[in-house]
Amino acid sequence: MIPLAPLRLGDIFGGAFSTMGRYWKQLFGIGAAVYGGAVAIMAATALIGYSAVSSHLSRVISLSAEEDPTSSDVVPIVVAFGVVWLVAMITFAVATAMMYATVPAILQEAVLGRPTTFSYIWRRAWARVPAVFGTVVLTFLVAMIPMVLMVVGFFALIIGAITLSHGGNVALWTALGFLGALATAPLAIWLWVKFCLAPSAAVFEGQSPVAALRRSSQLVRGDWWRVLGISLLAFALAAAASYIIQIPFSFLGMFSGVIGGSTLDEDPNPAAIAFAMSGYLVIMALGQLIGQFISATFPQLVTGLLYVDRRMRTENLGPALAEAAAVPPQYGPPYGP
């Protein structure tokens, strides 16, 4: 799929597109399985949560504008929403980690020019999900500080606008949030680029999360700006493709929503509204699912090839790859650190 030599920009993106074209069955199959399973778990959790608090929710919805809900109704609803949200975050994080492990597992075979099967890639990727999940969580924690500060500033600004309060506290929290985000964002970006090759190292070399982060930092050293530029270009292309893919789903969803809305009475109940909007929600969820698959696949193909390129440039990996290409497939890293 790529020349066994230091890669140029065209080689990296050409290799990413070629890998998607040649191994699309494995990529799309595992993507459909993990994200489809995540959606099914999410839907089941939401149904269980709704059935547990349906009576409380009905009482809250039926209140007039002058009535306030009681804590005995609000607390169960908030708890159920929190549980559903937590399950959704964990489920989709594991699904994303599975895709992050799948891409390097496929790249191992693609770089060597070998065919592979769905079952082999599934076993290979699933075995590395804990390590990849650890690298994803640790990398996310790196970028979380400026995100938290930005959210603090944003909510302080919104609260001040809603309450029409111009007091010093609101202005202080808003300024601290935005200035703190601006001050810490460069550090977060720098660390994110240093650690962006960690999922590939966790799969290619069988590294633990911390060792994979250390390995990524070692490989990025001396080529930080190039890794940043190519990674940003990959994310931009994936975002554009995801947006284009979701456009027809948006039109179909709007059409379905209009049809469903026309069947409602003048005073519909919540169940009727949910049923009328179900087609819109399903179509939009499908579009989001396909967009998430593109966002989780193409950039990781590019960063995986960046990992291979950095090892070729710093460790003369080409001869080792040529030798590994002549060896039958094995369960485990075809070439080590």
Side-chain angles (χ1 to χ4, degrees):
M1 308 302 292
I2 58 172
L4 300 184
L7 304 178
R8 298 169 298 178
L9 179 64
D11 297 327
I12 292 175
F13 281 91
F17 284 115
S18 297
T19 302
M20 292 189 72
R22 181 174 180 179
Y23 298 91
W24 66 270
K25 293 181 180 179
Q26 292 82 2
L27 282 171
F28 282 90
I30 293 179
V34 296
Y35 285 119
V39 170
I41 293 173
M42 179 60 191
T45 305
L47 288 175
I48 294 172
Y50 174 77
S51 63
V53 300
S54 58
S55 59
H56 301 284
L57 189 60
S58 298
R59 284 195 292 270
V60 170
I61 293 175
S62 63
L63 294 175
S64 63
E66 292 77 17
E67 296 178 299
D68 294 326
T70 62
S71 59
S72 60
D73 287 329
V74 173
V75 171
I77 294 174
V78 173
V79 171
F81 177 80
V83 171
V84 171
W85 178 83
L86 182 62
V87 170
M89 291 298 102
I90 295 175
T91 301
F92 280 98
V94 173
T96 301
M98 180 63 179
M99 288 307 302
Y100 277 28
T102 297
V103 170
I106 289 177
L107 274 178
Q108 285 184 331
E109 307 306 314
V111 168
L112 301 177
R114 299 192 301 208
T116 188
T117 62
F118 177 93
S119 60
Y120 172 79
I121 294 298
W122 180 275
R123 293 194 307 270
R124 179 81 182 97
W126 185 253
R128 302 306 304 160
V129 163
V132 173
F133 183 80
T135 64
V136 172
V137 170
L138 291 175
T139 306
F140 172 76
L141 292 176
V142 167
M144 192 170 65
I145 294 177
M147 291 171 59
V148 169
L149 292 173
M150 182 67 76
V151 169
V152 168
F154 176 77
F155 276 103
L157 184 63
I158 295 299
I159 292 172
I162 292 175
T163 61
L164 299 178
S165 172
H166 300 285
N169 289 336
V170 172
L172 176 62
W173 281 107
T174 302
L176 287 177
F178 285 110
L179 291 177
L182 290 175
T184 55
L187 176 62
I189 295 173
W190 179 69
L191 291 174
W192 173 79
V193 174
K194 283 179 67 68
F195 298 146
C196 68
L197 305 184
S200 298
V203 177
F204 273 77
E205 303 177 24
Q207 299 274 16
S208 66
V210 176
L213 293 175
R214 190 180 300 115
R215 179 70 166 146
S216 175
S217 176
Q218 175 189 357
L219 291 173
V220 172
R221 187 180 301 122
D223 207 14
W224 187 93
W225 285 105
R226 180 171 176 268
V227 174
L228 171 65
I230 294 177
S231 299
L232 289 180
L233 181 57
F235 278 107
L237 289 176
S242 177
Y243 176 76
I244 293 172
I245 288 172
Q246 291 183 44
I247 289 176
F249 288 95
S250 299
F251 281 109
L252 289 174
M254 291 172 59
F255 182 71
S256 175
V258 169
I259 294 177
S262 64
T263 63
L264 294 175
D265 300 329
E266 293 183 359
D267 188 19
N269 57 49
I273 295 175
F275 180 78
M277 297 301 293
S278 60
Y280 169 79
L281 295 175
V282 169
I283 292 173
M284 293 302 295
L286 183 59
Q288 291 288 338
L289 197 64
I290 297 175
Q292 175 64 24
F293 170 78
I294 298 296
S295 300
T297 301
F298 184 76
Q300 286 304 307
L301 284 170
V302 172
T303 54
L305 290 173
L306 277 172
Y307 163 87
V308 175
D309 172 64
R310 290 302 301 151
R311 290 195 62 182
M312 286 182 178
R313 291 175 184 271
T314 61
E315 301 173 358
N316 194 26
L317 187 63
L321 288 176
E323 181 181 353
V327 178
Q330 58 181 339
Y331 183 67
Y335 44 88

